[in-house]
Amino acid sequence: STVLHAEALAKTYAEGKLRTPVFDGLELSVSAGETVAIVGASGAGKSTLLHLLGGLDTPTAGEVYVAGKKMSALSDAARGKLRNEALGFIYQFHHLLPEFTALENVMLPVLLNGTTVPDATSRAKALLEAVGLGQRLEHKPGELSGGERQRAAVARALVNRPACVLGDEPTGNLDEKTAAHVFELMLDLNRAHKTSLVMVTHDRRLARRLDRVLELHEGKLRELAPEEV
Ligand code: ADP
Ligand code: ADP
């Protein structure tokens, strides 16, 4: 089944008289459990695409379907609910709330679903243990290392068992060794839960590990053959 589908997707940024067409007529389908890398030069529109897929921005034309639901047909509240339940987000910077502990940060998306505190606590704990942060539950982001913060962000992205995780350079802010570790962990967890992954990366070594590599170039998505990656 298809968890994420973009149809005839177009985006043009307009600021006053300045118009920046990024792409027009993009098609993308991601099936359950599939992992997809999006590569391309800086400014090609990778972040724009990810924002549209995640419902963080609205397309100029075309449609995005998340878990079969047409995003543009939903109210803001319903779209927010779908994003929280069906998608997980990991960014280059962790975006953990600084005043909250690792456990509280990971519990938050679960509580937003209306899950009880004991259930949210046990699910958040289990995921933090899975990412190797079982001994860091009460640490605030400022008390964690960079790799630990990204691992907490991975736990937060997965805690609602989303159909798909969207990652924008999720390991881009880490040194090479830590990045490789966090990436492997994310991939293992995604595979274990059959969660799809769409990840923007400039790191071809990471891209190569995913099922498909798509290059965004001059407004078009093209699948790269393994030897091109
Ligand atoms: P990438 O992630 O591949 O580096 P982006 O999606 O960030 O590319 O940007 C694609 C193009 O859209 C660039 O030309 C960028 O300058 C432009 N752009 C991105 N965000 C905005 C915005 N909020 N307003 C105007 N132009 C933007
Ligand atoms: P790294 O070796 O990855 O750079 P750090 O040296 O920043 O990591 O931290 C090492 C360990 O110490 C981490 O596991 C982190 O959780 C813990 N730690 C770092 N800073 C604090 C702090 N202010 N309070 C409590 N624990 C901390």
Side-chain angles (χ1 to χ4, degrees), residues 124-135:
K125 265 191 188 161
L127 257 163
L128 282 163
E129 277 159 16
V131 300
L133 293 180
Q135 306 302 315

Side-chain angles (χ1 to χ4, degrees), residues 49-68:
L49 175 60
L50 216 60
H51 285 154
L52 295 177
L53 294 176
L56 298 167
D57 194 3
T58 45
T60 313
E63 280 297 342
V64 171
Y65 297 81
V66 173

Side-chain angles (χ1 to χ4, degrees), residues 45-109:
K46 304 181 297 297
S47 296
T48 299
L49 175 60
L50 216 60
H51 285 154
L52 295 177
L53 294 176
L56 298 167
D57 194 3
T58 45
T60 313
E63 280 297 342
V64 171
Y65 297 81
V66 173
K69 294 199 175 109
K70 192 179 189 170
M71 293 294 256
S72 70
L74 301 177
S75 66
D76 287 350
R79 190 158 47 241
K81 187 166 182 288
L82 181 63
R83 290 184 54 224
N84 186 49
E85 288 173 2
L87 299 175
F89 295 86
I90 311 179
Y91 308 93
Q92 183 168 358
F93 298 96
H94 54 85
H95 292 293
L96 297 167
L97 299 173
E99 297 307 317
F100 292 91
T101 65
L103 181 62
E104 289 165 342
N105 267 286
V106 177
M107 284 171 70
L108 214 56

Side-chain angles (χ1 to χ4, degrees), residues 76-212:
D76 287 350
R79 190 158 47 241
K81 187 166 182 288
L82 181 63
R83 290 184 54 224
N84 186 49
E85 288 173 2
L87 299 175
F89 295 86
I90 311 179
Y91 308 93
Q92 183 168 358
F93 298 96
H94 54 85
H95 292 293
L96 297 167
L97 299 173
E99 297 307 317
F100 292 91
T101 65
L103 181 62
E104 289 165 342
N105 267 286
V106 177
M107 284 171 70
L108 214 56
V110 193
L111 291 174
L112 288 173
N113 269 351
T115 308
T116 62
V117 172
D119 283 353
T121 307
S122 68
R123 273 171 61 183
K125 265 191 188 161
L127 257 163
L128 282 163
E129 277 159 16
V131 300
L133 293 180
Q135 306 302 315
R136 297 282 180 273
L137 302 180
E138 302 304 328
H139 284 54
K140 290 182 178 171
E143 299 164 344
L144 298 172
S145 72
E148 289 174 331
R149 284 195 284 263
Q150 265 332 65
R151 283 190 272 148
V154 168
R156 181 187 52 187
L158 290 170
V159 73
N160 276 339
R161 304 186 189 99
C164 186
V165 169
L166 300 176
D168 196 347
E169 298 277 6
T171 60
N173 197 33
L174 303 174
D175 64 73
E176 195 175 329
K177 190 164 153 254
T178 310
H181 177 223
V182 172
F183 175 75
E184 294 305 331
L185 188 84
M186 188 174 79
L187 208 54
D188 281 352
L189 286 171
N190 265 62
R191 290 198 170 133
H193 296 259
K194 297 199 169 31
T195 310
S196 305
L197 172 67
V198 178
M199 184 177 98
V200 166
T201 182
H202 68 273
D203 189 332
R204 296 293 178 112
R205 275 171 306 179
L206 301 188
R208 210 174 280 144
R209 301 286 316 282
L210 303 190
D211 299 330
R212 275 198 291 157

